[in-house]
């Protein structure tokens, strides 16, 4: 009989932006000043409640007909939704002005399509934060010749609530281990949602 | 039912499943728990516990004794405090494959 806990999945609090190159930016408000790549720039939300995302912008062929801006998302942040308007203000060296974009679903991480996920704890060892900002919690497990982890991807995690998040996941894991035949439900701190569970 | 030990963390404690642990050693001021789970030929999985204070060889020996007791009480969760510093908290835990000790 399996031991597991239940995670309610939700995208109500929004999603992080997907890391990597993101096309479709409106460049009409930006002027390329030189070829090169900016340092990570904060992505500012004009609408919606997303925050924390960062991107670099590379300018190539400045002043030529083929002049191009390439935006690479380096930090996904939290709380973004399709339809949100975001902008990237130039650093004054590589470019000036603003690049703007209306986010679509492809710009965001892909959430789990289920409403709930079952997380088995039969081989679990312990839980740990994937990063200091509590963007995810990993539950490590070992089996012969396999060292894997279940990753719970979160929206609303910050360095301030990271401890509470980790203790909440630890509590769910412990209850599932100690109470076979029951499926405890993970209770996350207020404002924190889980949008994906995956075995890594 | 899993045998757990608890390690102080912030305002609470984090659990470590110690089923299968057969040896605990001090290494580089950390506690290393060896599991009876093969990782590769001649190697087993191990969990390295990094505490906020240095772990001594005596601390590791105490932890091994505590784990042995916990393993005889399935479903238990026993709090482990470093004998050399009871205020110490866990900083991190990490899984690695180590040569069979």
């Amino acid at each position: 009989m399996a031991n597991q806990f239940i995670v309610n999945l939700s995208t109500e609090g929004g999603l992080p932006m997907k890391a990597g190159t993101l096309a479709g930016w409106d460049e009409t408000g930006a002027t390329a000043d030189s070829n090169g790549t900016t340092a990570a720039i904060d992505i500012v939300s004009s609408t919606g409640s997303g925050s924390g995302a960062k991107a670099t912008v590379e300018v190539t062929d400045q002043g030529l007909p083929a002049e191009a801006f390439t935006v690479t998302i380096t930090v996904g942040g939290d709380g973004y939704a399709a339809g949100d308007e975001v902008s990237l203000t130039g650093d004054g060296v590589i470019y000036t002005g603003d690049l703007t974009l209306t986010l679509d679903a492809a710009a965001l991480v892909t959430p789990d399509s289920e409403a709930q996920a079952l997380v088995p704890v039969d081989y679990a060892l312990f839980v740990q934060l994937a990063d200091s900002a509590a963007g995810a919690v990993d539950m490590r497990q070992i089996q012969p010749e396999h060292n894997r982890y279940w990753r719970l991807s979160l929206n609303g995690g910050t360095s301030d609530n990271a401890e509470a998040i980790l203790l909440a996941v630890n509590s769910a894991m412990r209850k599932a281990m100690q109470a076979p035949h029951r499926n405890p439900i993970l209770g996350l701190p207020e404002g924190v949602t889980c949008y994906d569970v995956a075995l890594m | 039912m899993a045998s757990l030990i608890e390690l102080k963390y912030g305002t609470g404690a984090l659990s470590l499943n110690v089923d299968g642990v057969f040896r605990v050693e001090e290494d580089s001021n950390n506690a290393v728990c060896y599991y009876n789970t093969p990782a590769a030929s001649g190697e087993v999985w191990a969990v390295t516990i990094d505490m906020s204070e240095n772990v001594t060889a005596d601390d590791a020996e105490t932890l091994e004794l505590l784990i042995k007791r916990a393993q005889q009480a399935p479903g238990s969760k026993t709090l482990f405090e470093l004998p050399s510093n009871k205020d110490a908290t866990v900083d991190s835990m990490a899984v690695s494959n180590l040569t069979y000790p």
Side-chain angles (χ1 to χ4, degrees):
Chain A
M1 205 169 294
N3 293 343
Q4 58 210 6
F5 64 88
I6 294 172
V7 180
N8 289 320
L9 301 170
S10 171
T11 58
E12 271 184 24
L15 293 166
M17 293 178 69
K18 193 181 293 180
T21 304
L22 179 57
W25 293 80
D26 182 348
E27 302 168 0
T28 54
T31 303
D33 296 321
S34 59
N35 288 330
T37 304
T38 68
I41 300 171
D42 290 337
I43 296 177
V44 176
S45 292
S46 308
T47 63
S49 56
S51 64
K54 295 177 185 288
T56 59
V57 180
E58 181 184 17
V59 169
T60 52
D61 294 328
Q62 183 264 335
L64 300 174
E67 179 180 277
F69 295 82
T70 302
V71 175
T72 302
I73 307 301
T74 56
V75 178
D78 253 350
Y80 295 94
D84 288 356
E85 294 176 8
V86 296
S87 63
L88 275 167
T89 300
D91 61 357
V93 178
I94 303 299
Y95 76 100
T96 51
D98 290 338
L99 297 170
T100 59
L101 177 71
T102 300
L103 299 178
D104 60 14
L108 307 173
V109 299
T110 306
D112 195 311
S113 60
E114 302 289 323
Q116 286 187 329
L118 292 177
V119 183
V121 300
D122 293 315
Y123 303 101
L125 290 181
F126 60 87
V127 294
Q128 62 186 167
L129 294 167
D131 57 71
S132 60
V137 172
D138 296 336
M139 186 179 73
R140 306 293 316 197
Q141 67 175 34
I142 55 171
Q143 290 170 271
E145 299 179 10
H146 291 290
N147 170 17
R148 297 172 173 153
Y149 57 95
W150 287 90
R151 171 157 288 181
L152 282 64
S153 297
L154 307 172
N155 189 76
T158 67
S159 55
D160 291 335
N161 62 12
E163 179 185 315
I165 290 171
L166 188 59
L167 289 173
V169 179
N170 181 81
S171 175
M173 178 191 75
R174 190 186 65 232
K175 285 177 185 170
M177 285 178 164
Q178 292 193 308
H181 323 314
R182 291 175 57 195
N183 291 330
I185 298 173
L186 171 63
L188 290 166
E190 190 173 347
V192 181
T193 55
C194 178
Y195 61 84
D196 190 42
V197 173
L199 180 61
M200 313 292 278
Chain B
M1 209 178 300
S3 303
L4 304 174
I5 61 164
E6 303 275 289
L7 301 160
K8 286 181 181 175
Y9 172 78
T11 57
L14 294 181
S15 306
L16 173 65
N17 183 349
V18 294
D19 279 347
V21 173
F22 62 91
R23 186 161 171 168
V24 180
E25 289 190 346
E26 179 276 330
D27 183 46
S28 303
N29 298 319
N30 299 321
V32 182
C33 300
Y34 290 85
Y35 285 75
N36 182 27
T37 306
S41 178
E43 292 183 335
V44 294
W45 293 120
V47 171
T48 299
I49 305 170
D50 183 3
M51 303 289 288
S52 60
E53 305 292 337
N54 289 345
V55 176
T56 66
D58 286 346
D59 292 333
E61 192 172 330
T62 302
L63 176 57
E64 185 175 304
L65 286 172
L66 187 76
I67 288 173
K68 285 174 180 171
R69 287 195 197 112
Q71 288 169 338
Q72 298 305 314
S76 62
K77 62 178 181 86
T78 310
L79 181 67
F80 173 66
E81 295 176 324
L82 277 188
S84 62
N85 190 329
K86 293 188 182 304
D87 293 329
T89 57
V90 61
D91 280 344
S92 66
M93 292 184 271
V95 178
S96 61
N97 50 314
L98 296 176
T99 302
Y100 196 92

